[in-house]
Amino acid sequence: MADSIAARKGPVSRFLDSDLWFSFSHSPLTIVSAIVALALIGAAVLAPVIAPHDPFNLATLNLMDAFNPPAWVEGGNPDFLLGTDDQGRDMLSTIMYGARISLFVGFCSVIFAMVLGVTLGLVAGFVGGTTDAVLMRIADIKLTFPAILVALLVDGLVRAALPRELHDRIALWVVIFAIGISNWVQYARTVRGSTLVEKNKEYVMAARVIGLSSTRIMTSHVLPNVMGPVLVIATLNLGFAILAEATLSFLGVGVPPTQPSLGTLIRIGNDFLFSGEWWITVFPGITLALMVLSVNLLGDWLRDALNPRLR
Amino acid sequence: MFAFIVSRLFQALPVMFTVSLISFAMFAYVGDPVAIMLGQDYTEAQRQALIRDLGLDQPFFVQFFEYLKNAVQGEFGLSYRLARPVSDLILERAPATLELSFTAAFLALAIGVPMGVYTGLYRESWLSRFFLTISLIGVSLPTFLIGILLILVFAVMLGVLPSFGRGDTVAIGWWTTGFLTASGLKALILPSITLGLFQMTLIMRLVRAEMLEVLRTDYIKFARARGLSNRAVHFGHALKNTLVPVITITGLQLGAIIAFAIVTETVFQWPGMGLLFIQAVSNADIPIMAAYLMMIALLFVIINLVVDLLYYLVDPRLRGSLAGSAR
């Protein structure tokens, strides 16, 4: 790279000079959603350290503490800020651990979908011919069905194919696989499109002339040039992946109840809605909504900021 | 026109073939129907007899064509768990899902289009901002959470609407309808709002974006210069030209509505196909899953076909180019 002027400055000041930072610091909504997202991620990652109770340690659970309303409601216990559920687990701690599972599944399935989609798109675009036609035909068929339906189906199939205790042990990975597989097409199409453009450029020709293998050209020359839009799609899809996991878990076919995610917590709370214990549902629900909303707003901002044509 | 329909049908065939192959592979290789149907006590001779009766000793493709032949006639075998023909189960549940889905789609269109037109025309008004904020929340809240919140407010706290089931239904032949009784209509309100909300916000944003685009064009300026009334310009010229993408998206979203009916039906214990399917998934009831997959695929292929035809009818410019090229 020949931008020697920029290189002389430190990376921090270069970042502060960039268009990206300018559009970020001039959009209050984006700043707020970044703070909310960071706070939620922080709380989730640090849950084992900062959660006031350990909701999965059976020794500290006391059924006498069950159904405590939030601390500020009459009858609430200041020990349990957001109240407790049917087993006497502290809601605040349970939500922090639940957010941990939700974010973990969200991130992993986005990465899985991204790797799968980018690989297939790169191969389809670069190799062309029959490979391209077959891969894109599969993508078309996949697009005929809504992602959530594909995830449900994959999950159901794996559930039927595996013996029960094995499935319970790897259920988390099954969900990640199901959501990832239902979501790779967008990456593949985008990467294929940009690869088709890139592969006719001179640097690819030059790489061929000096005798590099196709694999080498694809991975170390074309790939870096087609990754830009992929990161935007990944951010936008993170919100979807978190929602998909919550939906699967709510339907009772997602992560196992021993590792409750936010969706599982809402499912559990749903049983107590009619007896008036609204906090068991509402707080995980608010957390989930905040998480998805902030991630979606960040994704929208990133898309607009990196694409000057949309301004 | 006729050539266009035929070419579209030929494109749909590989989709249906692939789906039925997947569906059959599920049926044939996942789980062990013989063990499930025999139960605990059986002799080896009984087992062999059952395998022969079910045709499981035949080669893969013979079995597959047998399966296809039955599927075309609407026969999908017996549910493992309920021990009843899958086709009966689905037929019994279909009216509930279809009534819910079409009501939701109708609501989404009837509310979404006017809201989109309004926010497109009056960009800066506070009501537009309010609508846009609502739509952002509508996109970020998961369907099941919206359903739960509606139940909490209207069924638990206010106690004005039922929280589960279809209410009383009237049977017309094999079709049962909730449209004809007061309790059936009341039971329909919350689920259809829950199901339609996401599509409503989507349609609103789409119509708004299209309106903004169209209002900038020269022919709108010309219409204004001719002294046409605002109403004639907005509805006669602008809205009409936004309809092509709206029709496409709405059509494709009809499929999404039927898929998301699974979630809504679970929240409201609505006795439709979605609830049947989700119970089948958690019980590994393969015949129901396979049949549901085939049926949804068929439905989607039909919807796509109808959308393509509408495209063709609404926009004369597309008639030359669309017929040859794949979408």
Side-chain angles (χ1 to χ4, degrees):
Chain A
M1 296 286 161
D3 49 345
S4 55
I5 304 162
R8 245 176 272 140
K9 288 198 212 164
V12 175
S13 66
R14 211 159 31 132
F15 177 67
L16 289 180
D17 268 351
S18 68
D19 286 351
L20 204 61
W21 176 254
F22 181 84
S23 90
F24 180 78
S25 56
H26 284 71
S27 159
L29 191 61
T30 313
I31 297 178
V32 172
S33 34
I35 293 172
V36 171
L38 282 180
L40 285 171
I41 293 174
V45 171
L46 296 176
V49 187
I50 57 173
H53 300 265
D54 180 359
F56 304 111
N57 184 352
L58 292 176
T60 61
L61 289 186
N62 186 349
L63 276 182
M64 295 297 284
D65 289 331
F67 299 124
N68 266 328
W72 62 88
V73 178
E74 204 182 312
N77 183 340
D79 243 14
F80 305 108
L81 186 61
L82 298 182
T84 56
D85 69 358
D86 58 322
Q87 297 170 40
R89 297 189 290 205
D90 173 45
M91 282 315 294
L92 179 62
S93 316
T94 323
I95 288 173
M96 284 163 92
Y97 279 95
R100 205 175 148 85
I101 304 273
S102 292
L103 281 170
F104 177 75
V105 173
F107 274 112
C108 287
S109 47
V110 164
I111 291 171
F112 175 58
M114 189 165 79
V115 171
L116 186 66
V118 169
T119 313
L120 293 180
L122 200 58
V123 170
F126 199 81
V127 178
T130 322
T131 322
D132 183 28
V134 169
L135 284 176
M136 285 303 114
R137 206 66 215 145
I138 296 175
D140 281 349
I141 294 179
K142 159 74 230 334
L143 270 191
T144 320
F145 301 94
I148 192 77
L149 198 63
V150 176
L152 257 176
L153 206 69
V154 172
D155 189 84
L157 273 183
V158 176
R159 186 178 298 266
L162 292 181
R164 188 160 213 113
E165 22 80 63
L166 178 65
H167 180 269
D168 280 351
R169 218 161 349 111
I170 60 165
L172 209 57
W173 300 103
V174 174
V175 174
I176 291 172
F177 175 75
I179 298 175
I181 208 98
S182 68
N183 219 14
W184 57 272
V185 174
Q186 210 183 350
Y187 299 96
R189 291 198 150 187
T190 314
V191 169
R192 174 179 172 271
S194 5
T195 306
L196 284 178
V197 176
E198 294 293 324
K199 83 170 177 188
N200 292 324
K201 289 198 177 160
E202 284 186 349
Y203 70 90
V204 175
M205 205 79 84
R208 273 195 202 289
V209 169
I210 60 171
L212 291 185
S213 71
S214 292
T215 327
R216 182 78 200 277
I217 298 176
M218 269 197 273
T219 51
S220 43
H221 296 270
V222 178
L223 184 62
N225 285 304
V226 297
M227 280 305 277
V230 168
L231 296 178
V232 176
I233 300 177
T235 321
L236 287 171
N237 273 345
L238 180 60
F240 166 79
I242 294 173
L243 272 191
E245 184 278 325
T247 305
L248 289 182
S249 295
F250 175 77
L251 293 173
V253 294
V255 302
T258 46
Q259 288 168 300
S261 71
L262 292 174
T264 325
L265 294 179
I266 296 169
R267 173 190 173 82
I268 296 170
N270 197 21
D271 295 340
F272 303 107
L273 209 54
F274 291 96
S275 43
E277 283 94 14
W278 51 270
W279 59 91
I280 308 181
T281 316
V282 169
F283 291 130
I286 292 176
T287 316
L288 180 67
L290 278 180
M291 193 184 273
V292 177
L293 190 61
S294 59
V295 168
N296 278 349
L297 285 171
L298 281 177
D300 278 350
W301 162 76
L302 195 63
R303 183 190 54 199
D304 295 349
L306 292 181
N307 189 349
R309 262 178 309 165
L310 290 175
R311 259 180 229 155
Chain B
M1 184 72 191
F2 181 71
F4 176 74
I5 297 179
V6 171
S7 83
R8 272 284 176 264
L9 277 177
F10 270 104
Q11 285 183 20
L13 278 179
V15 176
M16 279 316 286
F17 186 78
T18 318
V19 170
S20 49
L21 197 63
I22 297 174
S23 153
F24 172 70
M26 277 165 66
F27 198 72
Y29 293 116
V30 181
D32 184 358
V34 178
I36 293 167
M37 288 171 92
L38 280 174
Q40 296 292 329
D41 297 318
Y42 59 89
T43 62
E44 185 56 27
Q46 278 175 327
R47 207 178 83 90
Q48 292 303 333
L50 188 61
I51 288 178
R52 223 179 10 261
D53 286 349
L54 294 174
L56 295 178
D57 50 350
Q58 303 285 323
F60 181 84
F61 277 98
V62 176
Q63 286 192 48
F64 177 53
F65 280 108
E66 197 62 27
Y67 179 79
L68 268 190
K69 211 173 78 192
N70 287 332
V72 169
Q73 295 167 351
E75 280 305 322
F76 292 97
L78 293 177
S79 153
Y80 291 165
R81 194 172 60 96
L82 302 167
R84 291 182 50 200
V86 172
S87 45
D88 288 5
L89 286 170
I90 288 187
L91 217 56
E92 195 175 286
R93 304 279 195 122
T97 297
L98 291 178
E99 285 188 356
L100 176 61
S101 302
F102 280 105
T103 312
F106 174 75
L107 277 184
L109 273 179
I111 303 174
V113 172
M115 267 167 83
V117 172
Y118 181 86
T119 48
L121 291 178
Y122 308 102
R123 293 180 65 177
E124 303 300 327
S125 85
W126 65 269
L127 195 59
S128 296
R129 287 171 199 277
F130 175 71
F131 284 158
L132 283 176
T133 316
I134 293 278
S135 82
L136 193 65
I137 296 172
V139 171
S140 296
L141 276 184
T143 315
F144 62 90
L145 201 57
I146 293 170
I148 290 175
L149 291 179
L150 286 177
I151 289 181
L152 185 64
V153 173
F154 291 100
V156 179
M157 284 158 67
L158 299 177
V160 287
L161 291 170
S163 64
F164 65 91
R166 281 183 86 186
D168 298 326
T169 54
V170 179
I172 303 172
W174 59 272
W175 184 279
T176 57
T177 178
F179 286 141
L180 297 177
T181 63
S183 75
L185 286 175
K186 266 173 93 174
L188 196 59
I189 297 176
L190 291 185
S192 54
I193 291 178
T194 308
L195 188 55
L197 196 64
F198 179 80
Q199 268 67 30
M200 188 191 87
T201 56
L202 199 75
I203 290 173
M204 182 194 112
R205 286 173 160 250
L206 185 73
V207 171
R208 174 175 177 272
E210 292 291 327
M211 281 296 277
L212 290 179
E213 192 85 4
V214 169
L215 286 176
R216 250 185 262 149
T217 54
D218 287 342
Y219 66 83
I220 294 295
K221 284 190 193 124
F222 179 62
R224 285 197 201 286
R226 269 163 48 204
L228 295 181
S229 69
N230 266 340
R231 223 184 92 203
V233 174
H234 293 160
F235 295 99
H237 291 83
L239 182 62
K240 214 167 129 190
N241 280 291
T242 66
L243 285 182
V244 175
V246 172
I247 289 173
T248 323
I249 299 285
T250 313
L252 296 179
Q253 286 299 314
L254 199 58
I257 284 185
I258 290 171
F260 272 101
I262 297 174
V263 181
T264 312
E265 287 177 10
T266 311
V267 176
F268 290 94
Q269 292 298 304
W270 189 264
M273 294 183 293
L275 201 59
L276 185 72
F277 176 70
I278 198 70
Q279 284 161 355
V281 169
S282 40
N283 293 311
D285 198 339
I286 296 291
I288 292 185
M289 282 166 68
Y292 185 82
L293 178 66
M294 291 276 274
M295 208 190 51
I296 288 285
L298 184 66
L299 207 60
F300 281 18
V301 165
I302 294 174
I303 289 173
N304 280 344
L305 195 68
V306 172
V307 167
D308 279 344
L309 288 178
L310 281 179
Y311 237 3
Y312 191 88
L313 292 176
V314 169
D315 195 338
R317 283 171 304 179
L318 294 170
R319 280 178 202 168
S321 60
L322 235 171
S325 68
R327 198 165 22 93

